[in-house]
């Protein structure tokens, strides 16, 4: 769909200032509960896992604990797997897929891996079904020392001790129709540039690191998810979301250069999952199951290839 009407905040060609950010904030409303949906689930995991509060967002009257879940029997001799969800709070299956993985699947990896799962990196965005944080900053362009998102800086501090020791990192995302209808137009308006319409891929894909693409690893993730939901085909240009498809269902980005969460460790195996929840063929349960399948396949592959040369 091509829309030419300007975004309702700001003036075309002019980046937002404080007044425009305030106008944008006034349009954001709580639509669901982090404390109920997410913190409540984490609460019942405390009997089996260590729960770490690695920071706290103080956003006006709203306070959000930043919560990570770790294997209780953390062993220095075992490889480390990091799973992150909800870096974009609106990407629901990332949050609930991470929670389902730790609740129902973590036991299968016990004694083989240390798990660190951060299911909802951006709780303010989770509640408002938004991509940005309170300050109209995208956490997933902010994983850098001079980043402007507290969500990203807190996660970087949490992960610092395992940065060089993690074997595998799976960062759970979605690509949604609202990316094209709302979030990209909002981004263009915020930055004072023209919105270039794009296509939303129909199906699941992964984003690898162009500096460390690991095609066999990405394939294992795609093959596992294909049993749960359909994989996005390339468009007529051979691309997915404007980037060349390098193998079925896979594109690569320079994740560190872009300040993406997938570059937060030096893990040999990293992938960013992109579930498509708006397909008439995909239910919310399927989307969560696709995230779980991706995590399981990633961890299994990493375990069976951990001696390989990276
Ligand atoms: Zn995302």
């Amino acid at each position: 769909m091509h829309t030419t009407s300007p975004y309702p905040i700001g003036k075309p060609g002019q980046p937002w200032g404080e007044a425009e950010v305030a106008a944008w904030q006034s349009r954001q409303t709580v639509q669901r509960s982090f404390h109920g949906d997410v913190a409540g689930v984490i609460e019942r995991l405390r009997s089996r896992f260590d729960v770490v509060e690695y920071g706290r967002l103080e956003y006006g009257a709203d306070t959000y604990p930043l919560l990570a879940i770790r294997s209780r029997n953390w062993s220095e001799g075992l490889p480390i797997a990091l799973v992150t969800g909800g870096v974009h709070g609106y990407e629901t299956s990332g949050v609930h897929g991470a929670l389902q993985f730790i609740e129902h699947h973590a036991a299968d990896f016990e004694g083989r891996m240390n798990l660190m799962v951060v299911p909802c990196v951006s709780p303010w965005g989770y509640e408002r079904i938004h991509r940005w944080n309170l300050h109209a900053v995208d956490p997933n362009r902010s994983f850098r020392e001079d980043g402007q998102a507290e969500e990203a800086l807190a996660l970087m501090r949490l992960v610092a001790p395992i940065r060089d020791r993690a074997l595998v990192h799976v960062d759970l995302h979605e690509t949604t129709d609202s990316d094209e209808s709302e979030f990209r137009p909002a981004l263009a308006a915020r930055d004072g540039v023209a919105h270039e319409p794009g296509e939303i891929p129909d199906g699941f894909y992964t984003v690898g690191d162009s500096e460390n693409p690991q095609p066999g690893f990405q394939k294992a993730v795609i093959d596992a998810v294909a049993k749960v939901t359909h994989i996005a085909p390339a468009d007529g240009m051979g691309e997915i979301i404007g980037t060349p498809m390098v193998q079925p269902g896979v594109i690569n980005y320079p994740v560190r250069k872009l300040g993406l969460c997938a570059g937060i460790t030096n893990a040999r195996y990293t992938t960013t999952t992109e579930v498509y929840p708006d397909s008439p063929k995909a239910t919310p349960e399927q989307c969560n199951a696709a995230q779980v399948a991706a995590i399981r396949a990633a961890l299994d592959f990493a375990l069976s290839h951990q001696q390989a040369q990276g």
Side-chain angles (χ1 to χ4, degrees):
M1 187 184 68
H2 189 104
T3 172
T4 51
S5 57
Y7 195 77
I9 295 168
K11 294 192 184 71
Q14 285 184 27
W16 291 359
E18 275 179 36
E20 288 77 19
V21 170
W24 170 82
Q25 285 171 346
S26 72
R27 293 163 63 99
Q28 309 309 319
T29 55
V30 171
Q31 301 180 58
R32 56 189 181 183
S33 166
F34 167 80
H35 294 92
D37 300 354
V38 181
V41 175
I42 294 173
E43 208 43 50
R44 70 170 185 255
L45 296 172
R46 278 184 192 272
S47 61
R48 295 161 52 206
F49 299 94
D50 290 344
V51 176
V52 182
E53 184 178 319
Y54 64 93
R56 190 166 267 266
L57 297 177
E58 307 277 358
Y59 280 167
D62 297 313
T63 299
Y64 299 99
L66 299 173
L67 299 171
I69 306 155
R70 287 169 33 125
S71 299
R72 174 144 298 160
N73 301 311
W74 192 275
S75 163
E76 290 304 313
L78 294 178
I80 297 169
L82 174 66
V83 177
T84 46
V87 170
H88 289 138
Y90 71 115
E91 295 170 1
T92 307
S93 70
V95 176
H96 293 285
L99 288 171
Q100 287 186 10
F101 169 75
I102 192 83
E103 184 159 27
H104 301 297
H105 301 265
D108 295 341
F109 296 89
E110 198 168 327
R112 299 195 292 153
M113 298 191 104
N114 298 313
L115 304 178
M116 181 180 284
V117 176
V118 185
C120 191
V121 173
S122 182
W124 186 91
Y126 177 86
E127 290 203 327
R128 287 151 187 86
I129 315 190
H130 209 288
R131 185 173 176 87
W132 294 342
N133 70 8
L134 172 72
H135 304 295
V137 173
D138 185 339
N140 209 29
R141 298 293 182 277
S142 307
F143 288 91
R144 47 178 102 239
E145 295 301 328
D146 61 349
Q148 299 296 307
E150 180 53 31
E151 294 84 353
L153 295 171
L155 188 65
M156 287 168 71
R157 288 193 293 272
L158 171 75
V159 169
I162 62 163
R163 191 181 143 84
D164 295 324
R165 297 168 48 221
L167 175 66
V168 54
H169 175 200
V170 186
D171 188 32
L172 307 173
H173 286 254
E174 294 181 343
T175 299
T176 66
D177 289 349
S178 57
D179 287 340
E180 187 60 23
S181 63
E182 168 64 24
F183 297 130
R184 284 192 204 144
L187 175 65
R190 186 196 71 184
D191 294 346
V193 300
H195 170 58
E196 303 283 351
E199 272 180 49
I200 296 300
D202 179 8
F204 177 91
Y205 63 100
T206 67
V207 181
D209 180 0
S210 49
E211 307 295 310
N212 174 30
Q214 298 290 352
F217 169 70
Q218 305 297 340
K219 181 179 187 302
V221 173
I222 293 290
D223 288 350
V225 174
K227 295 175 183 148
V228 180
T229 188
H230 59 289
I231 305 302
D235 63 17
M237 309 276 288
E239 296 179 338
I240 293 177
I241 206 148
T243 300
M245 190 174 84
V246 292
Q247 66 190 77
V250 181
I251 60 172
N252 290 324
Y253 287 162
V255 297
R256 283 204 182 76
K257 196 173 146 203
L258 293 174
L260 301 180
C261 185
I264 199 172
T265 71
N266 289 319
R268 185 184 303 153
Y269 302 111
T270 67
T271 194
T272 300
T273 67
E274 295 286 351
V275 164
Y276 180 49
D278 297 320
S279 166
K281 290 184 275 182
T283 63
E285 293 72 29
Q286 245 178 336
C287 293
N288 295 342
Q291 302 283 20
V292 169
I295 301 166
R296 290 197 61 116
L299 272 50
D300 281 335
F301 185 97
L303 277 171
S304 57
H305 293 79
Q306 57 178 308
Q307 307 303 338
Q309 292 301 308

